[in-house]
Amino acid sequence: MRSLILCLLLTLSSTCARAAFAIQPWPEAAESLQMPPMQHWIGPARAERPFELCALYPHLRDAYWLSVNQGMVEEARRLGVGLRVHEAGGYAAQDEQARQLAECVREGSDAILLGAVDGPTLAEAIGQSPLPVFGLVNALPPEQVVAQVGVPWYQMGWRIGHWLAERHPAGTPTRRVALLPGPEGRGGNNLVEPGFATAIAGSAIELVETLRGDNSREIQRSLVQRLLTRHPNLDYLVGGAMAAEVAVNELARRPPSAPHSNPQPRAPAVLAIYFSHGVERALLRGKLALANSDQMREQGRLAVAQAVCLLQRPAASEAQCPRHMGPAILTLAGPLPARRSTLSDPAFRPVYRVEPSLSPTAP
């Protein structure tokens, strides 16, 4: 406890800076709503040798993975370890990510931090890797990985649904909702949907349609336009960050009603399952009602710290090097409490290589 207090207070010290993390262990079951209490974990101060970490992302074309990237880069530099980043090109790129798993070995990496595009199809490639594999953001079966960092995405869906159900309980007028969770069966979407469905069960919320598609602006715009055409009297539109951004823009483009004419259908309120820079802007302008943040930049930091901790101490206890953890999920109707835990800086651009350096760096 004394060391935790010192590290929290001495934020200008290169030895302690960012070594103290607020973490939430994962529940035993992915569908659990009973989250363990928050804990404080003191991560490694500096790496004992210049480890090389190989990070594999589904893509780097949106704010989510860009923010994960900055967190990983920050922590790699703080710890003095090397980092190589590869992106698969999208959630349909299973073959490319399997090839990249082998590429990490050829590059001489010490460990792989895997943001999996599709865990089941990568099971064989993961099993064949001689390197320790750490799950990053997208959950993998525990038997496939040494450890993992992320949040339960069932909770991400449940929290949005619970907010709606509390405002529209059974016996009140029915409210029509559409869901755009992102790619089918990819990332955390296979857990978001049942979490959302559980939360709205027995309420006055009616899920009228679910449309799935890749997280590209063009695809999500097409899905949003289709929903608004099919359901002109929609009350809520719930989607991933890209879908929420597009929906806010599409609704802003609706022409105002002419005087004495029939009014335009009432615009649905937009809710975001996860966060982005565009989601933040819409939330602050009052164009978006609610959004979850799973603090993805902090997840990037935690993933690097966890990997270094277990590379240095493979037999460490759970308290010394937690195996299944993530930051708290924030459900917000207003500003982020700590922006640098969620979003990348405005000027940040993807970094694909960090050279190892065990000389101290400034925080």
Side-chain angles (χ1 to χ4, degrees):
M1 178 59 70
R2 183 180 178 184
S3 61
L4 170 61
I5 294 171
L6 286 173
C7 279
L8 289 172
L9 293 177
L10 301 179
T11 55
L12 298 180
S13 163
S14 61
T15 302
C16 289
R18 296 234 51 86
F21 297 96
I23 64 167
Q24 190 157 45
W26 283 10
E28 290 296 321
E31 296 82 8
S32 175
L33 295 179
Q34 298 300 316
M35 296 295 292
M38 296 295 296
Q39 300 177 9
H40 283 97
W41 174 54
I42 302 298
R46 296 286 293 171
E48 295 173 358
R49 64 182 182 86
F51 296 109
E52 287 281 1
L53 306 179
C54 189
L56 305 184
Y57 303 161
H59 56 79
L60 263 170
R61 64 186 180 218
D62 68 15
Y64 189 97
W65 286 99
L66 185 67
S67 300
V68 172
N69 183 230
Q70 183 168 7
M72 295 184 77
V73 168
E74 289 170 331
E75 191 65 7
R77 288 173 175 163
R78 186 188 73 80
L79 292 173
V81 299
L83 177 68
R84 286 188 175 91
V85 173
H86 301 275
E87 53 178 322
Y91 276 93
Q94 299 98 321
D95 292 344
E96 175 61 15
Q97 197 162 70
R99 186 196 68 77
Q100 290 173 350
L101 280 161
E103 181 67 17
C104 291
V105 179
R106 289 192 291 271
E107 290 174 343
S109 304
D110 293 292
I112 298 171
L113 281 62
L114 177 58
V117 298
D118 185 13
T121 63
L122 290 169
E124 183 177 354
I126 295 170
Q128 290 175 349
S129 176
L131 301 178
V133 176
F134 293 79
L136 171 65
V137 176
N138 295 332
L140 290 164
E143 63 273 13
Q144 291 184 4
V145 294
V146 173
Q148 47 193 326
V149 163
V151 302
W153 278 74
Y154 185 92
Q155 276 262 337
M156 297 281 275
W158 185 88
R159 281 170 172 255
I160 297 293
H162 180 67
W163 185 90
L164 289 168
E166 279 195 324
R167 280 149 186 79
H168 306 288
T172 62
T174 298
R175 293 292 184 266
R176 296 159 58 82
V177 181
L179 183 64
L180 292 95
E184 184 168 9
R186 299 287 190 267
N189 295 336
N190 56 329
L191 295 173
V192 165
E193 293 185 46
F196 183 80
T198 297
I200 65 173
S203 72
I205 296 296
E206 177 190 0
L207 180 59
V208 296
E209 189 163 8
T210 300
L211 293 179
R212 306 170 187 87
D214 194 31
N215 284 323
S216 77
R217 192 166 295 276
E218 294 74 18
I219 290 174
Q220 291 299 320
R221 181 179 291 110
S222 174
L223 296 179
V224 167
Q225 290 172 343
R226 192 186 313 172
L227 276 178
L228 295 177
T229 300
R230 288 181 181 175
H231 306 285
N233 296 311
L234 200 62
D235 294 292
Y236 294 98
L237 192 154
V238 177
M242 187 69 73
E245 289 179 28
V246 167
V248 167
N249 292 335
E250 287 295 314
L251 291 170
R253 292 169 54 187
R254 282 187 168 187
S257 301
H260 312 299
S261 68
N262 292 328
Q264 290 283 337
R266 181 167 51 85
V270 181
L271 292 78
I273 298 164
Y274 60 94
F275 224 81
S276 69
H277 299 80
V279 164
E280 180 187 43
R281 289 190 294 270
L283 200 60
L284 294 177
R285 298 199 316 265
K287 303 296 184 182
L288 195 144
L290 194 77
N292 286 328
S293 165
D294 57 333
Q295 303 192 73
M296 50 274 198
R297 187 165 162 184
E298 188 75 348
Q299 287 191 59
R301 297 184 185 112
L302 280 170
V304 172
Q306 181 189 64
V308 170
C309 191
L310 285 164
L311 285 171
Q312 293 181 160
R313 305 282 187 275
S317 68
E318 184 70 21
Q320 293 169 323
C321 300
R323 268 62 167 188
H324 298 87
M325 63 172 170
I329 298 171
L330 310 176
T331 302
L332 306 166
L336 285 163
R339 196 175 189 277
R340 1 183 10 259
S341 294
T342 292
L343 294 173
S344 60
D345 295 334
F348 181 78
R349 297 296 178 267
V351 174
Y352 294 89
R353 175 62 176 152
V354 175
E355 296 291 342
S357 173
L358 292 184
S359 59
T361 58

